[in-house]
Amino acid sequence: MIFVTVGTHEQPFNRLVEEVDRLKGAGEIDDVIIIQRGYSTYEPKFCKFYDLIPWEEMQKYNREARIVITHGGPASFLDVLALGKVPIVVPRQAQFNEHVNDHQLEFCREVEKRLNNIIVVENILDLKEKIENYSKMLVTLNYAMDSNNAVFNEKLINNVRELFS
């Protein structure tokens, strides 16, 4: 199963929801897909979807999913990392009216560069390739958080402070 979450930001994130649904409809993805679409206006035709999901249910989907695809909100991808998984992260971008600015994109680039524990997709057309090669990509990433949460959190906090100072 692939779980997709776009968070609770009030601007739609149709670009991600539509692409996942298109890939599923075209037979490019075999997995069952569950989407938490938030305030997106696109209604998936080939994937099971919910607008909003309680946190406990989100955690259940995060645990059960083979792949979790999230927007670039840190809370969403940190939940996945805390489970010892590597999320595919598609940051919202201002050019598509998905957020007020590109802070998600900038933050995700830095996390990927400094910590090497997320897979960032800037161009939505690259999503298919990231899903197809997900298992191969894991061997090059640093995601062993299950026994190292405190160290990771400290590094992340320091990096965030550095970014905003």
Side-chain angles (χ1 to χ4, degrees):
M1 183 257 291
I2 294 176
F3 178 56
V4 179
T5 177
V6 303
T8 58
H9 182 72
E10 65 272 5
Q11 287 172 279
F13 198 4
N14 291 331
R15 182 171 59 102
L16 175 56
V17 176
E18 286 182 43
E19 180 62 8
V20 171
D21 196 49
R22 185 192 72 74
L23 290 169
K24 179 66 177 172
E28 303 285 343
I29 299 174
D30 293 328
D31 300 75
V32 169
I33 299 174
I34 299 172
I35 300 174
Q36 178 270 315
R37 70 180 188 144
Y39 294 96
S40 300
T41 56
Y42 177 80
E43 190 167 303
K45 297 165 188 64
F46 306 101
C47 305
K48 184 174 182 177
F49 70 93
Y50 304 93
D51 292 339
L52 300 172
I53 301 173
W55 186 83
E56 295 83 11
E57 195 170 340
M58 294 270 294
Q59 288 299 92
K60 175 183 168 282
Y61 288 133
N62 283 338
R63 278 191 306 275
E64 293 175 359
R66 179 177 74 86
I67 298 174
V68 179
I69 302 171
T70 79
H71 69 122
S76 292
F77 68 77
L78 284 174
D79 280 347
V80 179
L81 286 168
L83 293 171
K85 295 184 173 190
V86 173
I88 295 176
V89 182
V90 183
R92 292 170 176 265
Q93 295 183 34
Q95 69 175 322
F96 302 112
N97 260 351
E98 297 162 348
H99 220 304
V100 296
N101 59 31
D102 283 330
H103 72 278
Q104 282 193 1
L105 181 61
E106 294 161 5
F107 183 73
C108 290
R109 283 175 179 161
E110 285 300 314
V111 170
E112 183 179 49
K113 181 175 111 183
R114 293 176 189 219
L115 301 176
N116 193 36
N117 62 359
I118 63 175
I119 299 167
V120 177
V121 174
E122 292 186 31
N123 182 334
I124 201 67
L125 298 178
D126 295 335
L127 183 60
K128 176 187 170 198
E129 181 265 329
K130 301 296 184 186
I131 293 169
E132 287 176 346
N133 294 307
Y134 181 78
S135 296
K136 293 175 191 168
M137 296 173 72
L138 292 181
V139 298
T140 66
L141 299 173
N142 174 30
Y143 63 96
M145 283 188 55
D146 53 340
S147 63
N148 206 13
N149 283 342
V151 173
F152 170 81
N153 289 337
E154 185 177 329
K155 284 182 179 180
L156 181 62
I157 288 167
N158 289 335
N159 286 334
V160 170
R161 285 185 181 138
E162 189 179 309
L163 283 171
F164 291 102
S165 60

